[in-house]
Every structure is written in structure tokens, then in C-alpha cells.
Amino acid sequence: MSEEAELENDRGQSWREGPGDTGRSHRYSIFEHEALSFDQLQSALDAIPAYAWYAMPSGALTFVNRYKADYLGLPKDHPLRRGIDTGAAWDSYIALVHPEDHDESRRAWANCLRTGAAGELTFRLRNAQGGYRWFVGRAEPLRAEDGTLLCWIGVSFDIERRKQAEFYLLEAQRLARTGGWALNDAGFEYWSAQLFEIYGLKPGKPPSIPEYMELVHPEDRGLVAEEIRMAMSERHDFDFTKRIVRPDGDIRYVRCVGVATCDGILGTGIDVTEQEQSTRALRKSQDVLRQILDVTPQVVAVFGPARERFYANQTALDYIGLSLEEWLKGPTGHATIHPDDFERLQSRWDCASLDGSAFEMEVRVRRHDGIYRWFLARYNPVYEDEGKILRWYSACTDIEDRKRDEERLQRENIVLREQISQAAMFEDIVGTSAPLQKVLSQVSKVALSDSTVLVLGETGTGKELIARAIHERSRRAARAFIGVNCAAIPASLIASELFGHEKGAFTGAAQRRLGRFEAAHGGTIFLDEVGDLPMDTQITLLRVLQEREIERIGRDKPIPVDVRVIAATHRDLNRLVSEGKFRQDLFYRLNVVPITMPTLRERRADIPLLVEYFIARFGRKVGKKFRNVDKSTLEALKAYEWPGNVRELQNVIERAVTLSDSDIFIVDDAWLKREPSETSQPSTALADEILAHEKEAIEAALAQSQGRVGGPTGAAATLCLPTSTLDSKIKRLGIDKYRFRSKPG
């Protein structure tokens, strides 16, 4: 007979001995010889906080406790609540089991009845509302001391939440392609269904270690064997990725994560084939990208959101002279940026970090040999999905040559912008007189060299015009001509104007300023009224002429300059030297090629040409034309002494052109009359008296030394003057030193 038939036969049996017996009388007879009443058993089962029941030895369900009765929705007077055997009790109960669990429930219960042994089953049971919940039920036989089976007692526990959790776990493992396993000293104790699927195997008994190793890719077996050995011997966690070869030949990447326990290792296997392939493809593309970046001529670097260093291409590493490891271990930020640019870059970067904008700026970057070069640095942010900045990518292009050209143009134009409103004194050199032709001949000769020129002459004779003529005929004509009037600049600012200053060098120095020497680099600088330079500036200028380098105020490193110096003055430098107001060594440096400009009194033959030139020049400005020049005016102009020289002539003609109402050019005679002041005559007489005394003292000293100027017994030693100074005075006073020498006997 089958198990199902036996169950049906047993369940159909009645425990009543006859039609007149009641179920209650027979029920008590079961427990009487065990000193246990039915009421006590029922009370005990009702007190259990679980779903409890008991059945007759035949399997007929007789009683369910209140928890189970309430779950099933049994009425208060239902026989199962009172422990009354009903033939239909089992059929009624099995109907409440989920249809998919009927067969398994019947087989498990039939096995318990046949063997008399306890049994356990997981099943779904319908509640009073019609829904199903999962239970785990266990049936235990209750026997008398002699082994007689008295009844079956069962307890069921609600495992709905656990089943849901198991479902979610299995579903999560399926979606995440993750399987679980357990490993002990004997081998694999457990493999989840998902793990079998990952390895391409049918669910069943976990493989042995040798069978498992056969599934591992040959190249990874050594790694896996060592990890298993270490994990089992030292009980340590591990996390590694290996390749497996499934039975169909497909190669998969599986990440193995294991956690040590007292009994072995518990872990998961995660199919990461797609991720690993993507990662490897990404790494390959990154390698290709890095190779491209390494041959890129730009300096490329990658920084984190806090400006920590992440990457620099080979061009950058070669430039700064470090390996990638050395650069990565360096300080956060830009240690190679020029100190003058670092604060500016930091401030701009702070602003960009707040608004997330890309930016670019020009900065100087230090090379491995300590030299700074100009770069155009472009910074671009890369964002995370949340909108936060993940990386900063920096690409720097070398613009040193362009920057040099810009600075050269800046130097050439810095002063020209300041002088743009000033008209030149002359547009060209006008005149054919012998004194002027002699000067122009000297200009032609000296222009071809880089020699320092000292232009001497009274005020208004055109010294700057001669300096410009020298520059325009020199090899420096394409570069800047920078003019500086040393007398017009305050003594406290002259050094800054000539040599420049750094930011913060003194109060008011809000930014770096290039000096006139730097502005004239490659060209010519004209130092007008050089005799008015302060003594400390003279010392600095002497060094510039000797060393060909300058130092900005506030900077301790010299800056080489290539500048031709042309100086000019209307003052007597020899007298200033003798008076200690001008350095003698600086005078020698400036007086390499002296050119003396003739006064207008010495070139009266040029006055008609100059008059014609200035009339045409100023007439165009005011829109006037003159047919000719009044003869008396021309004669008066030629007769006048012109203490202001050509500049004074220019002013007189401009005044006459502006005020004239006729087409005949006429100059008011009153403009050419110069009345001496009350103190002029005494001053002239005093000067003549001083010169006479000076000449007398020099002649006396020459007579004493028999015409010898230098040496211990010379006139210079007697007068306590430098030999060169005394020579200059002798020439200026027209003294013939040779007449004091004794004639041979």
C-alpha cells in the first residue's frame, strides 16, 4: 500500500469504540495511565506563543491551540478548539495548505506516521483573510514509558519575513550575479544556486577542491591555490579577482571575497566580467591617452579638488626635472610657480572653485635649472554626477618667446605713451653752417658704433635732436629711443624711474614697474641734464655702464640690459667734478665721445633757414601762409644774441605766426630787446674776477713746477686737484703750460 493510501486509511479510522461512546471519554482514556489530563495538555499548548496542535496516533487532527485557531479563523465553538476528534479535521486542515505544498505535506506526514519519528516541513498556510504565510512546522511523537505512542504534538512558527528576506537575497544575488559559498578544511561545504550558475554548472553538490581548481584559468591557479592555503592556515580575509573557464569554454572574471570564521571561510563569488572588461578597456585607453599626452609639447597636469597632485605628463616632468613619483610626493599646490605669480594664481583658482568655471592666465614656471619661463596656463574642471568638482586639468603652453616680444614692445612704448602729448623740438636738423656740419660729421661717425656719447652745449641748442640723429643712424634704429630729463624728476624718484621697482619695494609701489633702462633694452637711452643726477644715483648709473646690468628697487638679482647711453648737459661737468658734485669716474664713462653743440650765435648763417622752416611749420598748424619775411625783421633776428638759442628762436616765431594779421612775416622789435637786470652786471664782474684769480693761481703753480702738471712735484699736487681736473681748467682758461718749462742751456 502506498504512503498516501495508508494516510487516508489511518485518517478515516475512528477512535470511538462504539456508537454509544463519546469522543471525550475515549480522549481521557489515553492519558489516564500517564497521570496527565487532556485539560492540562490543552492548557499547556494554549500557553505556547506559537501555532501548536496535537493529533491521535493515527494522525487524526484533534486539537489546535488558540493562536493557530485564531490564525485559521475557526469559530469559538469549533471542535478543534475543544479537542474533539472529527473525521473531517484533517481534510479541512489540508485544504488550508497552499496547493503547491499539498503533495510535500502529505508525504512528510505519511513518513512520520509510518516511522513514528519526528518530522519537519516548510509550507504555506492560508489565514482567515485568505492570504498565505510561510511556516516551518515540526511534529514530535509523545510516547508512554513503555514506548506506546500516545499522540503527536506539533508546533509551527511563522517564517514569512525570513522567506521574504531569502527571496530578496536570492533575487539580489541573481541581479548582482553574486553567489555564496562556505569553505572548511574538508573542502566546500556549501554553494548557492547563483554560484553554480556563475560557473556554468547545474545545482547540486559543491565541487571538491580539485574539481574547483579545474574550473580556474590555468594562469590564475597559482594565485588561487596560494590564497586558499593562506586563508585556511592563517584564517585571514581575502579579496581578489580570478578568471574561470566554464564548461562551454567561456572565460569569466570572478571576484572572490572571503571572511574568516572559527570553522572556515565564508564568502561570495561575484561575476565581474563586464566590469573587468570595461576596466581593462579603460586602462588600455588611458595608457594610450597617457602616451599621447607624454609626447604632447604642452605641460599637462591633473589636480584634485583640493589641488592635490594626481598626474603630470612626461613633458612636464622633463621640464621640472622630477620623476612622477617625486612630483606626486611633493607639496600640494604649485611649488614651481614664480612667487610673484603664485598669489595671483591662487586667488583666481579660489574664485573658479566657487563658481566651477574654467580659466586661463599667464604664469612663470620654474625649470629644473632654476630658470623661469612664461606659460599660458588653462585650467578646466571635471565634475562628478552630483555636480562637485572631481578633477582640475591643467594644460600650459610655453609663451616665453611671445612674452619677450611683448615685454620688448612694452619697454619700447612705455615712455612713448608718456611723451605722446609732447611735440618734438625739431622734425629734422636744419642748417648748413660749418659748426653744424662739423657736428653732423661726428654724428655720422659715432652712430655706427655703440660708444657712449656725451652731448654738451647751452640750453636750447638741440642736444636731444642730435641724440635722436645718432640713434636713427645706428644699428639700434629699429628699437626704442627713450629720453629721460634727469632734472625734471624728483631726486627720491629718479632711481625708480631709471631702474624700475618691484611690487611693495616702498610705500606706494602697488605693482611692479619697468624702469627706463629696461624699456630701452636693445635700443638707446638719452639722459638729458645728466649733471643734475643725485650722487647715489650716479653710483648706480656707473655700475650700469660698467656691468651692463641693473637691479630694480626691491629685487636682489641683477637684470642684464643691452642699452646704448647718450648723455647731455648744459652744465660744466669739469667744474662739478672739482666741486665734488659729480663723480669723476662717471664723467670718464660718459665722456667717451664728446660732441659740443654750437650756439645759435655761432651759426648765425643758419638763422634764415630756421626762420623759413619754423614759419612753414607753425603756419600749417594755424592755417596761415606768408609771402615773405620782412627784411628788417630778418636782420634783427640775425643780430640778436639768442641766449635761449634755437628754442628761443622757435618760440619767437611761433608767437609771431600766431599773432600776425598780415601775409608778411614781421617780428615785434620789443621781443628781441633784452634789458640786463640790476644784479647781472655785478654778477658778471664777480665771475670774471674769480676766473682771473683762478688763472693766476694755476699759472703760479705751473711756474713753480716748470710746466709739469702731474707727479709729486706737479702743479696738480700743489693745488690739491686731480691731474685731469687741472688739465681741463688749463684748457678752459686758455693757459699755455709749455711756456713755463725751462729751456735747455
Side-chain angles (χ1 to χ4, degrees), residues 496 499-503 505-506 509 511-515 552-553:
S496 174
F499 311 118
H501 62 256
E502 296 290 338
K503 178 182 177 181
F506 51 83
Q511 60 184 3
R512 187 182 69 175
R513 176 186 174 89
L514 296 179
R552 297 194 200 111
I553 299 175

Side-chain angles (χ1 to χ4, degrees), residues 435-446:
L436 182 60
Q437 293 302 314
K438 179 180 178 182
V439 170
L440 295 181
S441 175
Q442 292 176 321
V443 168
S444 299
K445 295 175 181 178
V446 76

Side-chain angles (χ1 to χ4, degrees), residues 211-286:
E211 291 172 339
Y212 167 76
M213 294 301 294
E214 286 295 323
L215 297 172
V216 177
H217 193 283
E219 295 180 3
D220 296 341
R221 287 174 185 170
L223 167 67
V224 175
E226 179 63 17
E227 289 290 347
I228 293 177
R229 186 190 67 79
M230 293 291 294
M232 297 306 298
S233 62
E234 301 182 8
R235 291 292 191 268
H236 73 84
D237 302 345
F238 58 76
D239 186 346
F240 64 91
T241 300
K242 67 177 184 299
R243 289 168 293 177
I244 63 169
V245 182
R246 302 208 295 191
D248 59 2
D250 185 21
I251 298 177
R252 310 293 292 179
Y253 289 87
V254 178
R255 180 184 176 188
C256 298
V257 181
V259 178
T261 67
C262 58
D263 298 327
I265 305 293
L266 295 179
T268 58
I270 309 169
D271 189 340
V272 294
T273 303
E274 286 74 15
Q275 300 94 311
E276 188 69 21
Q277 290 175 345
S278 300
T279 301
R280 289 176 180 265
L282 178 61
R283 288 175 181 172
K284 185 175 181 180
S285 63
Q286 288 177 341

Side-chain angles (χ1 to χ4, degrees), residues 111-379:
N111 184 62
C112 290
L113 294 177
R114 186 181 69 252
T115 61
E120 186 173 295
L121 177 68
T122 301
F123 60 96
R124 285 163 286 183
L125 187 65
R126 191 173 68 224
N127 58 21
Q129 290 76 33
Y132 287 92
R133 294 181 68 85
W134 279 98
F135 287 86
V136 57
R138 185 168 181 84
E140 291 282 351
L142 180 63
R143 298 181 182 276
E145 292 182 357
D146 58 0
T148 303
L149 178 63
L150 301 178
C151 67
W152 293 92
I153 296 179
V155 178
S156 300
F157 295 97
D158 188 333
I159 59 169
E160 178 67 22
R161 291 186 179 180
R162 193 190 80 181
K163 275 293 185 178
Q164 289 181 353
E166 289 178 356
F167 171 77
Y168 293 144
L169 176 61
L170 292 175
E171 188 67 12
Q173 287 182 347
R174 184 185 67 82
L175 295 175
R177 301 187 63 80
T178 302
W181 51 266
L183 179 66
N184 55 32
D185 294 333
F188 286 106
E189 182 181 7
Y190 166 76
W191 269 36
S192 69
Q194 185 61 36
L195 193 60
F196 279 101
E197 182 177 342
I198 291 174
Y199 279 79
L201 303 174
K202 293 182 179 180
K205 183 180 178 181
S208 64
I209 295 297
E211 291 172 339
Y212 167 76
M213 294 301 294
E214 286 295 323
L215 297 172
V216 177
H217 193 283
E219 295 180 3
D220 296 341
R221 287 174 185 170
L223 167 67
V224 175
E226 179 63 17
E227 289 290 347
I228 293 177
R229 186 190 67 79
M230 293 291 294
M232 297 306 298
S233 62
E234 301 182 8
R235 291 292 191 268
H236 73 84
D237 302 345
F238 58 76
D239 186 346
F240 64 91
T241 300
K242 67 177 184 299
R243 289 168 293 177
I244 63 169
V245 182
R246 302 208 295 191
D248 59 2
D250 185 21
I251 298 177
R252 310 293 292 179
Y253 289 87
V254 178
R255 180 184 176 188
C256 298
V257 181
V259 178
T261 67
C262 58
D263 298 327
I265 305 293
L266 295 179
T268 58
I270 309 169
D271 189 340
V272 294
T273 303
E274 286 74 15
Q275 300 94 311
E276 188 69 21
Q277 290 175 345
S278 300
T279 301
R280 289 176 180 265
L282 178 61
R283 288 175 181 172
K284 185 175 181 180
S285 63
Q286 288 177 341
D287 291 340
V288 174
L289 178 59
R290 287 184 179 180
Q291 291 176 9
I292 295 174
L293 290 177
D294 283 341
V295 298
T296 300
Q298 288 182 309
V299 172
V300 179
V302 181
F303 301 91
R307 296 160 207 182
E308 59 271 28
R309 299 177 176 185
F310 282 156
Y311 169 75
N313 70 341
Q314 194 59 45
T315 303
L317 298 175
D318 291 342
Y319 182 82
I320 61 179
L322 297 174
S323 65
L324 181 59
E325 292 72 18
E326 292 172 335
W327 184 78
L328 291 175
K329 294 178 182 178
T332 302
H334 288 70
T336 57
I337 300 299
H338 193 283
D340 292 347
D341 302 332
F342 183 79
E343 183 177 349
R344 183 165 51 92
L345 174 61
Q346 199 82 345
S347 175
R348 184 66 185 87
W349 206 345
D350 289 340
C351 295
S353 297
L354 294 176
D355 57 24
S357 61
F359 68 96
E360 66 177 38
M361 62 185 305
E362 296 177 354
V363 295
R364 285 162 290 182
V365 183
R366 187 178 68 241
R367 202 165 59 185
H368 58 83
D369 56 2
I371 296 176
Y372 286 92
R373 291 182 66 86
W374 279 101
F375 284 82
L376 176 62
R378 295 181 175 89
Y379 291 82

